[in-house]
Structures are given as C-alpha cells and as structure tokens.
C-alpha cells in the first residue's frame, strides 16, 4: 500500500486516524484527526506534533515492539477537554508503520470494557487475602480452637493478609486520586535532588545499599513532592525486591539539554539494579495495572502490581516519561525523565 492508499483508507474510517511511518513521520492524517489537533499534522514527526506524553509513549512502544498499544489521553483545544482512547497497531504490509485511531470517550462516561476489567481485577486481588482470612477463621473456630501455638501462627498470617488488603486499598485510592488530578498541574516547588536524597536516605536506614551518583545540576521544578516521593520509593523498592539480593542499587541523575522524545530540557533520574532483568516481551505491559511478571513472587513480597501504573500516571502528570531498559541476567534500569522547564 502506498501513501495515497493509506490516506484513502483512513479517510474512510469515520474516526480520527493517523499513520506514522517507521521513520517516525506522520505520513497521513484524516480530516477528523486534523480537526482534533487543530493542525495539519501530516508530514511532521509524531513526537513533535502530538503533545500528550501518553500518546507519544504508546506510539514509540508500538514502533519498537510491533505490538498493539493503548493509552487514555486528555486533549485540550480551545478550552475544551476531550478524553480519547488511543490505539496503535503496527502494520508491516507494504508501507510499514503504526496506525493510530482515537476513540472519543467524552460522551460515553466510563469506558465500560476497561472499567469492567478493572473491577474484575480488583475483586480478584481482594478475594485472595479475604479467602485466606476466612479459611484461618474457620480453622480457629474448629480444629485449632484450643491450640495456643496454632492460634499465634494463624493470627500472624491473618495480620499479613489484612495488611495486604490495606496496601491494595491505599494503592487504589492513590491511583484514583492521581487520575482525578491528571489535568491539574502540580504546584509545589520541588528540588529534585533533595527529594531523591530523602528517599535514598530512608532506604539506607533500612540497610539497603545504594550508590548515589547525583551528578545533574539540581533543578527546582513545579511538582508534587509526595507523588514523586512515591515514584522513587517504588522504583527503589522494586530494585530491592526484584534485583540481585544483597547487591547495591545505583541511583543516578543526568541533565539533558533536549530529551529526544519530550523535546524539552529534562532531568533523567535512574534506578539501576543488577538482578535477573526483564524479558523484553514484558516491557510494553509493565506499567499496566496489576501486571506482574511473576504474580506469585510479587504477592509473596507484598506487591499489589500497581506501583509502576501509579508511577507512570504521576510522571505523566509532570509532563515527563518513564523509560525502562533491561537486559536478561544483567539487570534493569528505570528512568523517570522530568522536564525542567
Ligand atoms: N527492577 C525490576 N527488575 C525485575 N522486574 C521488575 C523490576 N521492577 C518491576 N518489575 C516487575 O514489574 C512488576 C510490576 O511492578 P510494580 O511496581 O508495578 O508492582 P509490584 O512491585 O509487584 O507491586 P507494588 O509496587 O504495588 O508493591 C513486578 O511485579 C515485577 O514483576
Ligand atoms: Mg513495586
């Protein structure tokens, strides 16, 4: 299929659609897409033309992994906010590239399928500890009634399960708060190195070995300090949980004059571990809610599988992006890239 044929196909679609070729240029956009962006984006590099980090992330991942990507984007044009479900699909027949379609959700209220999946996941996650607690109660009411040693053991296990439910509920609340704030720009003035140093200190106090190389020029940015604290805590905690036991974790910062994808000056803050690494097939899905590589291992370690989903939302609220690089049996590097202006 050539460029003219692609244009004819997407013109016929009836929803906003774009085609980004392998060289990252938008080679076709239908009228509906042009009216969404209020700009003829055809001919431009996608990362410069489309301003939402979530859209740029999804297209980048689709170009890189050739897998379907979806993202929820909030678009503001002429003071009107519109919510779209963006879908990217890779086409490798004829002209190679990504077909992007936008589905307007503004009038649909809650996106029903996503909502249903989410409720099903939450119910499943809550049911597991709840079932365990019910089981312990039954045992304590029956066979273990007079067994003091068993009583102690079971109460300990019940406490762990209820702590897990508590963590899950707090993570869910935190996720919904962040989603509600997505269109509100953060307003605290935050020195990023100071904040990072506080997180590092709190882990060092728990005997985690961290090599900190905070080499960047520190920047005061408009940010939400508590939320960024949550991002770095999760990245360091993940490096501890899934990295190599006992090996140090390295935290580095670096300034970039212009981030290749955000196209603004930024600070890159990375957390590196030397653990088992992550198979590339998991990388595109790692920031999905409840996505875990090894669900059993994560749950054992008290994980809810929401940490990276929350981190991604927070970083996107700061107009930044999360980069994940990993090499099997060498380790992983998670980098939060935050614009400094
Ligand atoms: N540094 C890492 N090395 C290897 N795998 C990782 C690393 N960080 C995250 N992962 C994988 O990504 C999954 C999702 O991470 P995420 O932080 O979202 O959830 P979690 O750590 O399991 O739970 P929570 O953050 O809620 O405690 C993890 O379950 C793990 O499989
Ligand atoms: Mg985590």
């Amino acid at each position: 299929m050539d460029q003219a044929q692609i244009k004819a196909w997407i013109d016929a679609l009836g929803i906003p659609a774009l085609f980004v070729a392998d060289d990252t240029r938008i080679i076709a956009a239908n009228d509906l897409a042009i009216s969404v962006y209020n700009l003829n984006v055809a001919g431009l590099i996608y990362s410069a033309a489309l301003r939402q980090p979530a859209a740029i992330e999804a297209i980048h991942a689709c170009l890189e992994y050739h897998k379907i990507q979806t993202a929820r984007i909030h678009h503001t044009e002429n003071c009107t906010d519109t919510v779209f479900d963006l879908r990217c699909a890779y086409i490798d027949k004829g002209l190679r590239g990504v077909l992007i379609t936008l589905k307007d959700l503004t009038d649909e209220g809650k996106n029903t399928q996503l909502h249903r999946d989410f409720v099903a996941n939450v119910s499943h996650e809550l049911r597991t500890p709840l079932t365990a607690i019910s089981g312990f109660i039954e045992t304590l009411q029956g066979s273990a009634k007079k067994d003091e040693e068993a009583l102690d053991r079971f109460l300990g296990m019940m406490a762990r399960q209820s702590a897990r439910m508590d963590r899950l509920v707090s993570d869910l609340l935190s996720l919904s708060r962040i989603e509600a704030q997505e269109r509100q720009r953060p307003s605290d003035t935050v020195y990023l190195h100071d904040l990072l140093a506080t997180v590092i200190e709190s882990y060092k106090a728990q005997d985690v070995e961290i090599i900190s190389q905070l080499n960047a020029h520190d920047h005061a940015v408009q940010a939400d300090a508590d939320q960024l604290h949550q991002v770095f805590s999760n990245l360091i905690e993940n490096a501890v949980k899934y990295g190599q036991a006992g090996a140090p974790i390295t935290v580095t910062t670096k300034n970039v004059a212009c981030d290749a994808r955000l196209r603004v000056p930024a600070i890159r803050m990375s957390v590196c571990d030397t653990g088992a690494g992550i198979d590339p097939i998991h990388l595109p899905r790692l920031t999905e809610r409840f996505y875990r590589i090894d669900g059993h291992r994560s749950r054992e370690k008290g994980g809810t599988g929401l940490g990276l989903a929350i981190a991604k939302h927070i970083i996107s609220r700061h107009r930044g992006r999360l980069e994940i690089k990993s090499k099997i049996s060498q380790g992983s590097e998670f980098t939060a890239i935050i614009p400094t202006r």
Side-chain angles (χ1 to χ4, degrees):
M1 209 185 295
D2 63 18
Q3 193 166 337
Q5 282 170 318
I6 286 183
K7 175 80 168 71
W9 275 97
I10 65 171
D11 277 346
L13 271 181
I15 52 169
L18 315 158
F19 191 85
V20 173
D22 264 355
D23 69 356
T24 74
R25 210 167 276 283
I26 301 174
I27 59 162
N30 65 10
D31 289 343
L32 290 165
I34 291 171
S35 72
V36 167
Y37 287 102
N38 208 5
L39 169 77
N40 189 355
V41 288
L44 305 176
I45 305 279
Y46 77 87
S47 53
L50 317 178
R51 292 179 302 264
Q52 304 88 359
I56 295 172
E57 286 284 310
I59 299 168
H60 174 81
C62 190
L63 279 171
E64 190 157 328
Y65 304 113
H66 299 185
K67 292 254 158 55
I68 287 180
Q69 302 290 323
T70 54
R72 176 72 53 86
I73 60 169
H74 296 269
H75 182 76
T76 312
E77 199 68 62
N78 300 329
C79 302
T80 341
D81 283 332
T82 321
V83 184
F84 288 105
D85 251 354
L86 172 138
R87 183 178 190 276
C88 302
Y90 192 78
I91 295 179
D92 63 358
K93 304 269 182 298
L95 252 179
R96 296 158 72 91
V98 177
L99 174 67
I100 299 132
T101 47
L102 296 167
K103 185 168 165 219
D104 190 337
L105 298 178
T106 323
D107 299 327
E108 280 188 26
K110 289 221 157 39
N111 178 274
T112 42
Q113 186 55 43
L114 270 181
H115 190 65
R116 268 200 298 270
D117 290 352
F118 183 60
V119 171
N121 275 328
V122 172
S123 314
H124 175 75
E125 293 294 332
L126 280 171
R127 176 174 282 161
T128 318
L130 200 57
T131 310
I133 291 176
S134 312
F136 293 138
I137 292 175
E138 228 168 79
T139 320
L140 288 175
Q141 284 172 328
S143 55
K145 207 170 192 166
K146 304 226 161 57
D147 183 343
E148 273 207 19
E149 194 203 322
L151 183 73
D152 257 6
R153 202 154 38 87
F154 284 136
L155 285 176
M157 292 195 269
M158 286 163 80
R160 271 199 296 283
Q161 296 297 333
S162 87
R164 183 169 150 196
M165 294 208 293
D166 190 52
R167 245 183 340 259
L168 182 62
V169 172
S170 340
D171 276 357
L172 287 169
L173 285 174
S174 152
L175 194 58
S176 93
R177 228 181 353 254
I178 295 157
E179 274 183 335
Q181 289 171 331
E182 210 154 29
R183 272 175 285 174
Q184 256 168 272
R185 289 283 289 281
S187 58
D188 306 344
T189 301
V190 176
Y191 282 90
L192 292 171
H193 274 184
D194 282 355
L195 182 128
L196 205 49
T198 316
V199 184
I200 291 172
E201 282 316 311
S202 73
Y203 278 91
K204 280 188 174 164
Q206 298 167 46
D207 284 338
V208 176
E209 198 184 331
I210 299 180
I211 302 170
S212 51
Q213 300 176 333
L214 308 189
N215 299 325
H217 166 70
D218 196 6
H219 280 281
V221 296
Q222 295 296 102
D224 184 314
D226 290 342
Q227 288 187 348
L228 288 184
H229 197 286
Q230 196 176 351
V231 170
F232 295 118
S233 295
N234 181 51
L235 295 184
I236 295 178
E237 195 183 297
N238 282 353
V240 174
K241 287 197 293 192
Y242 310 111
Q244 191 187 354
I249 292 158
T250 312
V251 180
T252 24
T253 61
K254 199 171 124 198
N255 291 117
V256 282
C258 179
D259 177 72
R261 305 226 325 265
L262 300 172
R263 307 210 159 227
V264 286
I267 182 162
R268 295 175 57 93
M269 297 181 275
S270 310
V271 177
C272 298
D273 65 66
T274 50
I278 301 165
D279 190 313
I281 57 161
H282 297 294
L283 291 183
R285 299 197 57 196
L286 225 49
T287 54
E288 282 176 21
R289 295 158 185 197
F290 299 116
Y291 190 85
R292 301 149 163 133
I293 296 168
D294 179 346
H296 183 69
R297 180 155 175 230
S298 155
R299 285 189 196 98
E300 290 252 289
K301 292 176 185 273
T304 63
L306 290 172
L308 288 175
I310 293 175
K312 188 175 172 181
H313 269 290
I314 293 177
I315 294 171
S316 112
R317 184 178 174 226
H318 288 79
R319 296 177 300 127
R321 65 187 184 93
L322 176 68
E323 189 179 271
I324 308 174
K325 285 191 180 146
S326 190
K327 284 216 173 85
I328 290 289
S329 70
Q330 290 185 26
S332 312
E333 178 176 5
F334 287 73
T335 307
I337 302 155
I338 307 282
T340 45
R341 121 170 111 71

